[in-house]
Amino acid sequence: MSTVLDETAETVVTSARPAKRPATRSAGVRKGRKPGDWVVLAVAVVLGFFIAVPFLMILINSFKSPADYNSSGPLTLPTSLYFDGIVAFWERVNFPEKFWNSVFISGLVAVFAVVLSMFNAFALGIGRVRGRLWIVVLILLANMLPQEVLLYPLYFMFKEVGLYDNQWAVIIIFTVIQSAFGTYLLASVYSTFPKEMLEAASLDGASRWQILWRVVYPISRPTLSVLLIFFFIWTWNEFLIPLTFLVSNATQTVPVAITVLQGDRLMDVTTTSASALLGLIPTLVFFLIFQRTLTRGITAGAVK
Amino acid sequence: MSIAPAPLEAAKPGGAARAALRPPSSLIPGSSRNAYWLYLVPGLALLTIIVVVPLVWNVYLTFTDYRGIRPPEWIGLDNWIELAGDSVFWTSFANSIAMIVAMVVVPTLLGLLLAAMLFDLIGKKFGARLASFLRATYYLPQILPAVIAAIVIGWILRPQNGALNQVLEAVGLGALQHNWLGSPDTALPSIMVIMVWVQLGYPIVIFMAALQRVDPELYEAAELDGANWYQRFRAITVGIIRPEIFVVTLTCTIAALKVFGPVYALTGGGPGTATIVPAYYAYSEFFQSQQVGYGATIATALTIVIAAVSVAFILVQNRYERQEEER
């Protein structure tokens, strides 16, 4: 689960470094495709096909009836479109409810974590408070630790204050964990913030609070929006802590609900496939919508 | 990407005089650094409650016998001694090494090769669109929740009516049919293959982003000098993206040591202990065996390993960078 996290992490980090790109892209060099080039292309395409195969199988088999599956196997197209598997799963887990839970939790975490990261990074990167290197190391700890090490004490603490099996427990925990990475990234971005702009604002009599919201925030918005999207996806994909904290049906997220149902041996093979389809569509759609933002944020770099 | 070092004004010899002229300051003129502590209060307070206190508490629990019902009972080092002789624990770490192979070694090497192929060859000779389409395809498994990815593959690997076994039969290789995740000899390799599938897109995307820093003229110059593809790959590609290789390796190693979701969703550590990993072992001690003290000990041991690996990585990297600078 945290693999996705790490991925995106680095993509932003890479962006913090100014991409040295030549003014003229030598795009016109599609000269001489040698036979060897076609071989390489074929290898790359075949590999892509194998990576995509599980997705194609899910797609095909989600719309098959169990009888169809049993007679023709997993590789053929469905003889007729069958929606009962999807419908059955949809109703079994009350999918809209789980979907809303995931949106609610991930959305709030994304917003809170971005704001918290910005405050931290403002103090560390622009304010340059004493001992900031050690503070960043301490904060990063939250991201490196295996979550198991926090699990039981947190479980106990939230039980004591009556927030166990409550989505706010998960929201608070992930706000802290995600903002750890955000702080790390933004602090390094802010430490190279154009000084002239800060000086100008300060000469105009702006307070620190005003400088934060009127200068620092607007200029770093591309980076902040990339962080927002990452935090949303990462939180959506989280598993261990939601599994432990959200025990009742009404509070569960999509991945937890789907996984918990896997233990249910009554589920036939096409319903399993349908459940996987419903589990992957939201992130896929989200990714496709925001892919542009991500790429732009990454290539635009942080602060120029 | 590291935090720029603090201006070491006063610490440097002869710096005192200059420090007097230019007192330690923030980037905003006329505001003292101390004024910014206010902005750290919410972050540090939350960090203390959610991370620091539980971490210390967890370490305390490792010295106790605690079943989650009666209050923890101090037993000194007993948990740690038990851990040192616990063959399941050592099996879980051996499996961690398998996870490192599957999540770090293979994806990084393969990713390096594929990123170079996409960027240097396919992108230039067949168009950037095709290259980015392929990149997106490789990346697909990364965007879905790991547990969903595990379910997808687990479904394909089912012993009865699973897709893989049916394909084998269809192409006349029925003799190779197997209970892939259910038998001890193939369970771990199966999970490893799945993790390679999940992880591969990550290094590719990052390495390709990094390759944008490469000046195409470098390649052209090398080509004119008669360097073949492999020589260019080693000298230019690997040379330029070394920082990214380092970060990918470190973050993936941490992720491999922490892996939990796929094991939980696919095998529950079984059959027997064939696929158990430290994170899953700790979890099962917490919530299945109710051995909270012992679970805390496993989790703490895992934390120590992760911290040691991270520190070692960073030290090696620093040393390497210094050597590079001296050259």
Side-chain angles (χ1 to χ4, degrees):
Chain A
M1 44 203 152
S2 55
T3 54
V4 181
L5 180 155
D6 299 325
E7 184 288 312
T8 26
E10 190 35 32
T11 323
V12 199
V13 174
T14 319
S15 73
R17 211 172 288 128
K20 208 176 102 194
R21 202 188 286 193
T24 49
R25 299 216 77 191
S26 37
V29 275
R30 288 199 198 173
K31 52 181 179 195
R33 294 172 186 165
K34 290 173 225 142
D37 300 339
W38 289 99
V39 173
V40 171
L41 180 68
V43 169
V45 169
V46 168
L47 186 74
F49 174 74
F50 273 107
I51 287 176
V53 156
F55 293 92
L56 300 174
M57 291 212 161
I58 290 302
L59 196 62
I60 294 173
N61 290 294
S62 297
F63 298 101
K64 253 183 218 174
S65 70
D68 191 359
Y69 185 93
N70 287 337
S71 61
S72 64
L75 295 177
T76 54
L77 287 173
T79 48
S80 63
L81 279 186
Y82 175 85
F83 294 98
D84 287 12
I86 293 172
V87 171
F89 183 77
W90 183 285
E91 283 168 357
R92 193 115 136 231
V93 299
N94 190 356
F95 192 75
E97 180 186 63
K98 304 298 173 290
F99 183 80
W100 167 247
N101 289 344
S102 277
V103 170
F104 177 71
I105 292 173
S106 311
L108 284 182
V109 167
V111 173
F112 291 158
V114 165
V115 173
L116 200 61
S117 307
M118 198 173 69
F119 281 174
N120 285 344
F122 186 61
L124 296 164
I126 288 177
R128 303 198 161 175
V129 297
R130 218 170 287 276
R132 65 183 187 282
L133 188 68
W134 291 109
I135 298 173
V136 172
V137 168
L138 175 75
I139 290 177
L140 254 187
L141 200 70
N143 224 310
M144 275 171 36
L145 286 174
Q147 289 170 4
E148 287 76 11
V149 98
L150 310 175
L151 204 59
Y152 209 86
L154 285 177
Y155 170 75
F156 188 83
M157 282 160 61
F158 280 108
K159 243 183 175 161
E160 281 295 288
V161 296
L163 281 178
Y164 177 67
D165 199 14
N166 184 313
Q167 295 166 340
W168 282 99
V170 176
I171 292 170
I172 295 168
I173 294 170
F174 284 120
T175 296
V176 176
I177 291 179
Q178 310 293 28
S179 71
F181 174 77
T183 302
Y184 168 63
L185 178 78
L186 274 181
S188 82
V189 168
Y190 284 178
S191 67
T192 61
F193 202 90
K195 213 173 168 180
E196 309 76 48
M197 306 198 68
L198 299 170
E199 279 169 2
S202 164
L203 283 176
D204 288 345
S207 68
R208 280 184 297 274
W209 180 254
Q210 286 168 329
I211 291 179
L212 171 61
W213 287 106
R214 301 220 182 126
V215 180
V216 176
Y217 164 74
I219 289 188
S220 55
R221 216 156 51 189
T223 314
L224 296 176
S225 57
V226 171
L227 280 180
L228 192 83
I229 295 166
F230 286 165
F231 292 165
F232 187 92
I233 297 181
W234 299 345
T235 310
W236 186 289
N237 291 353
E238 275 293 343
F239 183 66
L240 173 66
I241 283 176
L243 174 75
T244 317
F245 280 79
L246 306 176
V247 283
S248 65
N249 233 325
T251 56
Q252 275 168 2
T253 59
V254 173
V256 173
I258 289 179
T259 313
V260 167
L261 210 70
Q262 291 302 304
D264 190 347
R265 288 291 161 210
L266 296 171
M267 213 151 72
D268 58 66
V269 70
T270 54
T271 309
T272 305
S273 177
S275 80
L277 185 70
L278 286 178
L280 65 87
I281 281 179
T283 32
L284 193 64
V285 170
F286 191 84
F287 177 73
L288 291 177
I289 293 173
F290 290 105
Q291 207 194 5
R292 278 249 164 115
T293 318
L294 286 177
T295 338
R296 217 182 305 129
I298 289 159
T299 48
V303 183
K304 280 272 165 69
Chain B
M1 46 167 279
S2 61
I3 306 301
L8 297 165
E9 310 89 344
K12 272 186 185 162
R18 251 179 293 141
L21 293 172
R22 193 164 41 80
S25 67
S26 66
L27 286 180
I28 300 178
S31 70
S32 133
R33 298 158 109 185
N34 291 331
Y36 290 87
W37 277 104
L38 207 56
Y39 288 91
L40 275 178
V41 168
L44 290 184
L46 278 169
L47 186 78
T48 307
I49 297 169
I50 300 297
V51 177
V52 178
V53 168
L55 181 63
V56 173
W57 189 338
N58 190 77
V59 172
Y60 159 73
L61 287 177
T62 68
F63 301 110
T64 65
D65 182 18
Y66 183 33
R67 308 282 164 116
I69 308 154
R70 271 177 298 159
E73 185 190 326
W74 185 267
I75 53 166
L77 285 173
D78 285 7
N79 281 326
W80 289 96
I81 292 163
E82 192 187 333
L83 191 76
D86 181 354
S87 66
V88 177
F89 175 72
W90 292 111
T91 306
S92 74
F93 261 104
N95 289 344
S96 281
I97 291 171
M99 290 299 160
I100 289 175
V101 172
M103 292 172 68
V104 186
V105 180
V106 177
T108 308
L109 292 178
L110 211 55
L112 201 55
L113 209 61
L114 284 164
M117 253 164 59
L118 287 179
F119 183 84
D120 184 27
L121 201 153
I122 294 177
K124 280 177 190 156
K125 299 212 169 163
F126 297 93
R129 285 204 154 197
L130 181 61
S132 59
F133 175 77
L134 284 169
R135 181 187 60 181
T137 311
Y138 298 151
Y139 190 70
L140 263 183
Q142 278 274 307
I143 57 161
L144 55 146
V147 286
I148 306 287
I151 288 165
V152 172
I153 303 281
W155 166 78
I156 289 172
L157 296 183
R158 275 186 180 202
Q160 283 93 35
N161 67 26
L164 179 60
N165 280 346
Q166 298 216 354
V167 171
L168 286 174
E169 185 158 314
V171 298
L173 290 171
L176 291 179
Q177 285 188 356
H178 201 82
N179 184 359
W180 300 101
L181 287 166
S183 40
D185 56 330
T186 52
L188 188 62
S190 297
I191 292 196
M192 288 171 73
V193 172
I194 295 165
M195 294 321 291
V196 171
W197 176 73
V198 169
Q199 284 288 91
L200 186 62
Y202 164 51
I204 293 177
V205 166
I206 289 167
F207 292 160
M208 284 188 73
L211 282 172
Q212 296 188 341
R213 288 203 308 269
V214 180
D215 186 341
E217 283 169 23
L218 265 181
Y219 280 108
E220 281 158 27
E223 213 166 346
L224 286 178
D225 288 346
N228 64 28
W229 188 84
Y230 179 70
Q231 286 167 328
R232 278 177 285 153
F233 172 74
R234 281 215 32 200
I236 302 174
T237 310
V238 177
I240 299 252
I241 65 176
R242 186 171 287 129
E244 280 79 8
I245 297 175
F246 163 73
V247 179
V248 164
T249 321
L250 176 59
T251 53
C252 288
T253 306
I254 294 175
L257 289 168
K258 283 163 53 166
V259 73
F260 172 80
V263 172
Y264 177 92
L266 279 167
T267 61
T273 56
T275 58
I276 199 162
V277 288
Y280 185 83
Y281 191 27
Y283 176 85
S284 70
E285 287 295 309
F286 281 142
F287 295 105
Q288 284 155 23
S289 318
Q290 300 290 326
Q291 298 278 2
V292 179
Y294 195 58
T297 313
I298 300 166
T300 306
L302 177 60
T303 309
I304 294 170
V305 171
I306 290 177
V309 167
S310 311
V311 169
F313 253 100
I314 289 164
L315 288 180
V316 168
Q317 165 80 355
N318 274 345
R319 193 145 111 209
Y320 201 90
E321 271 176 8
R322 233 176 295 133
Q323 279 175 357
E324 286 283 288
E325 277 165 22
E326 281 166 10
R327 217 173 269 171

